[in-house]
Amino acid sequence: MAVVSRASGPDWWKRAVVYQIYPRSFADSDGDGIGDLRGIISRLDHLARLGVDVIWLSPVYPSPQDDNGYDISDYQGIEPVFGTLSDFDELLAGVHDRGMRLVMDLVVNHTSDEHPWFVESRADPAGPRRDWYWWRGARPGMAPGAPGAEPTNWASFFSGPAWEFDEASGEYYLHLFSRKQPDLNWENPDVRQAVYAMMRWWLDRGVDGFRMDVINMISKQLPLADGPVTHGVLGDGSALFQCGPRIHEFLQEMHEQVFAGRPEHVLTVGEMPGVTVEEAVLFTDPQRREVDMVFQFEHVSLDQGPGGKWDIRPLRLLDLKASLGRWQAGLAERGWNSLYWDNHDQPRAVSRFGDDGRYRTESAKMLATVLHLHRGTPYIYQGEELGMTNVPFAGPEDFRDIESVNYYASAVAGGADPAAVLAALRPLSRDNARTPMHWDDSPAAGFSTGEPWIAVNPNYPQINARAQVDDPDSVFSHYRSVIALRHAEPAIVDGDFTMLLPDDPTVYAFTRSLAGTTLLVVANFSGDPVPAPVPEAAQWAAAEFVLGNYPAPDPAPDPAPPTLLLAPWEARVYRRVE
């Protein structure tokens, strides 16, 4: 069994590489078509061989599964379809035995409407838990339950109003996401104390940290008010609930009451839609004791137009470089960033940013090289290390994700052309990331002996782990090399970042420098050979070639040419030591 070296020291998380598991789709041990904890246990050696340091586990708590586990009905248990607490303890021990850490997904902006807290809140308007959630009466002058009578005009992220009318009490409750995901009222100190107690319980069990789902939405601006109209009669309330007035206070309180004083550093990752670079510096400044790093969305919104997520536009490399470069510069002195191309909420990286056809292997390797050489902690989403691609969804019946299902129904009901709606869903639906992991070329890709809960991508016979793990030229092997380089080269973790060729439409180039060592990363984001006129190209051509996704280039002639010539989707890393 391969064993990875567990990252250690006070800033171990800066040197770490994180691997995200979406349990429902990773590995099924009992043939019911749904991934589970024992399935993950059976595949831990795959992750150890890859070389990652941290496993981020998407929610495995009891849940009605309205939003695939992000609607939690019990924070201190395990969803039976995934296994038991005993299975979880075995998984945690297996992770630790292999020198890795385990991070839980923490969803505390909202609960399920089936959580006992909300059941009690809903049942008794005069009870002590009523104020644990956001309850409001109808808009002044309007009848409760009438169209447009919602307390504010906010739109839900999952279509429709963000308020649900409760006939029994005549009031509405807030749900920024599904109507089955009511928002917790963090203004109530009892709510915060209950959350902190639950977090301490998991840490005492041995968990190594938390990835905090939409954590910058827990503070709402009071009084709750309308946002600018953006969806017909519905408005965008994000400015009123993202990074609200008490968010820093809440996170500092959480740190003090949950994380401070523990013998080992607890990894804290804040997922923060809409966060700015300037806000991220505050959230991740170690002196402020809030979170270690942020998960931001700017770079994965660049292919979306003013109409929102489903208003798809071509991605311009200039925009991508400007965005990632701005975050590198903004967090250079203080703070830390998460680095990712995809996750359970994003389509497959090689389909979105690369070429999932002729140059799938080359572009998948290129994307890994570019991302992991930035400053920040890189994340790998399950299957990314194989170059898994988006799915050819044939029709609306193929989708399972609530966001996609609701959007299709809402858009078609509103008069949109069904074919046009499908054309928007296919490239960006979250279901692209949620189809089963490809383990081998057997039926169901080795994911399950039963029928998977969502169809397997039909290209699994060509793209699977068994075909790659022993192939030195595979995407998997390249990820191993990139991870090993990050572990071995301090300049990648701590070095200065300098963007080169910011106005080049096809070449992404930058340097990382630390204590006399400089790395050059140069990559071609196109399917054509291109020159890369980086400064001092001749000297770089003669430098040490460290890593690439093509065979090492021939030694540079003397004199060397004034530019580097890159093959389609090629990436190279050079090193010079003064």
Side-chain angles (χ1 to χ4, degrees), residues 59-144:
V60 291
Y61 314 95
S63 165
Q65 301 294 319
D66 187 60
D67 186 23
N68 281 354
Y70 284 83
D71 50 317
I72 297 170
S73 55
D74 177 4
Y75 284 113
Q76 292 177 224
I78 298 295
E79 167 61 35
V81 75
F82 294 139
T84 65
L85 272 172
S86 177
D87 293 330
F88 177 84
D89 290 340
E90 184 178 340
L91 169 62
L92 184 61
V95 170
H96 288 166
D97 287 346
R98 290 163 176 82
M100 298 181 288
R101 289 174 165 89
L102 185 76
V103 167
M104 296 286 281
D105 218 322
L106 183 75
V107 189
V108 290
N109 174 72
H110 46 265
T111 69
S112 166
D113 66 342
E114 297 181 32
H115 193 291
W117 296 348
F118 185 76
V119 172
E120 182 179 337
S121 178
R122 187 176 209 167
D124 185 2
R129 286 218 167 102
R130 184 67 166 187
D131 193 42
W132 281 41
Y133 295 84
W134 295 96
W135 289 95
R136 292 292 187 273
R139 190 178 291 268
M142 299 194 71

Side-chain angles (χ1 to χ4, degrees), residues 391-416:
V391 182
F393 297 110
E397 67 280 357
D398 292 338
F399 294 95
R400 298 290 181 272
D401 174 41
I402 185 173
E403 180 188 47
S404 298
V405 171
N406 284 2
Y407 174 71
Y408 182 85
S410 175
V412 171

